[in-house]
């Protein structure tokens, strides 16, 4: 089945530094990937839609200069949290529509737990 | 634009049934259902594409009433492994938005 690989799974960084999260589709091409953020016991909030070869589309209220998204190839999208602060600590998850037709839903990466200290 | 889920939480005994509802204020292209275990990513359960469509596998099934912009997830004869948070996701303009989730706990 389709697999989306996300790295790292956990990261602790100091306030003010930047963190890059990678999301790869392993056995299919994903022209579009989605980035979500999830706070404890809350739902997945769509942050942005990552489009291969073009600019990402950000949701209202998400700072594009803080959450840099790059989708340089059909299998890789990256999210960089710049100048991270403790309030950016969260669970970040990427997803892509699974190839094979509309009946297969979305496949999620395993998520990245970011802790900013 | 997020769908509305109910109930927020359900506690069951093994073998009991549960229904989780999902509704949207906007016309829906599709409804997805996912289950998330604590600390893990959501796992796709099923997608419903047409009004009136019903799907199911094992003892988990779902229906989609396109006219009412609602979907329901049915868990019958629940097992311990069903515990987790269930999210419905709706596709509007080709991006996925999730409900707040329903935390299901199945006890022995």
């Amino acid at each position: 089945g389709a697999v989306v690989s996300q790295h790292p799974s956990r990261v602790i960084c100091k306030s003010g530094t930047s963190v890059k999260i990678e999301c790869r589709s392993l056995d299919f091409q994903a022209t579009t990937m989605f980035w979500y953020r999830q706070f404890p016991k809350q739902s997945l909030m769509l942050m942005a839609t990552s489009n291969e070869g073009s600019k990402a589309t950000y949701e209202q209220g998400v700072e594009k200069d803080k959450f840099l998204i790059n989708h340089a190839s059909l299998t890789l999208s990256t999210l960089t949290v710049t100048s991270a602060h403790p309030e950016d600590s969260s669970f970040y998850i990427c997803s892509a529509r699974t190839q094979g037709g509309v009946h297969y839903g979305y496949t999620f990466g395993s998520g990245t737990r970011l802790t900013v200290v | 634009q997020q769908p509305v889920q109910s109930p927020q939480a359900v506690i069951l005994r093994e073998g009991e049934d549960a229904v989780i509802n999902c509704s949207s204020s906007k016309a829906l292209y599709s409804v997805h259902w996912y289950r998330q275990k604590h600390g893990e990513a959501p796992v796709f359960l099923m997608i419903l594409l047409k009004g009136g469509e019903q799907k199911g596998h094992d003892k988990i099934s779902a229906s989609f009433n396109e006219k009412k912009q609602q979907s329901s997830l049915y868990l019958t004869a629940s097992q311990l492994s069903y515990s987790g948070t269930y999210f419905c996701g709706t596709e509007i303009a080709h991006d996925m938005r999730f409900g707040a989730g329903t935390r299901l706990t199945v006890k022995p």
Side-chain angles (χ1 to χ4, degrees):
Chain A
V3 176
V4 172
S5 175
Q6 186 173 344
H7 293 282
S9 57
R10 287 181 180 272
V11 58
I12 301 173
C13 70
K14 290 186 177 180
S15 192
T17 61
S18 296
V19 173
K20 181 186 279 188
I21 302 169
E22 289 190 350
C23 184
R24 292 180 187 272
S25 55
L26 293 187
D27 47 5
F28 67 102
Q29 294 180 335
T31 54
T32 303
M33 289 189 177
F34 304 92
W35 287 95
Y36 294 87
R37 179 167 56 184
Q38 186 177 36
F39 292 107
K41 297 186 180 180
Q42 293 190 23
S43 187
L44 300 115
M45 300 303 297
L46 181 64
M47 297 175 65
T49 302
S50 170
N51 303 297
E52 188 269 334
S54 64
K55 290 184 179 180
T57 305
Y58 289 83
E59 291 298 296
Q60 197 171 8
V62 177
E63 299 175 59
K64 59 181 70 175
D65 293 331
K66 180 167 186 63
F67 298 100
L68 299 178
I69 289 173
N70 184 278
H71 196 150
S73 75
L74 287 170
T75 59
L76 174 64
S77 176
T78 61
L79 168 69
T80 302
V81 183
T82 62
S83 188
H85 290 284
E87 57 265 30
D88 297 325
S89 298
S90 188
F91 192 52
Y92 292 86
I93 315 176
C94 64
S95 76
R97 177 177 277 287
T98 310
Q99 277 196 332
V102 296
H103 295 277
Y104 296 90
Y106 287 70
T107 299
F108 284 85
S110 54
T112 298
R113 188 163 300 283
L114 171 64
T115 304
V116 184
V117 297
Chain B
Q1 290 187 348
Q2 279 183 278
V4 177
Q5 266 184 258
S6 64
Q8 288 185 321
V10 181
I11 300 175
L12 300 173
R13 291 286 179 192
E14 215 173 349
E16 292 181 337
D17 303 340
V19 180
I20 301 171
N21 299 304
C22 175
S23 63
S24 172
S25 59
K26 292 182 179 284
L28 299 175
Y29 171 71
S30 66
V31 177
H32 298 223
W33 286 96
Y34 295 82
R35 177 171 60 210
Q36 185 181 30
K37 302 275 186 178
H38 180 68
E40 300 178 9
V43 173
F44 173 72
L45 293 177
M46 64 187 78
I47 179 174
L48 299 105
L49 294 171
K50 297 182 290 187
E53 184 176 27
Q54 295 195 9
K55 273 195 173 177
H57 57 85
D58 200 7
K59 293 187 173 66
I60 300 176
S61 61
S63 63
F64 179 20
N65 187 323
E66 190 177 355
K67 194 174 181 181
K68 292 185 178 179
Q69 294 167 189
Q70 293 176 344
S71 177
S72 295
L73 185 71
Y74 307 93
L75 301 103
T76 58
S78 58
Q79 305 168 18
L80 295 176
S81 61
Y82 287 3
S83 291
T85 300
Y86 290 77
F87 292 99
C88 68
T90 55
E91 283 189 284
I92 299 173
H94 304 293
D95 58 37
M96 177 69 67
R97 295 170 193 276
F98 291 92
T102 297
R103 186 179 299 273
L104 181 77
T105 305
V106 181
K107 295 187 174 182

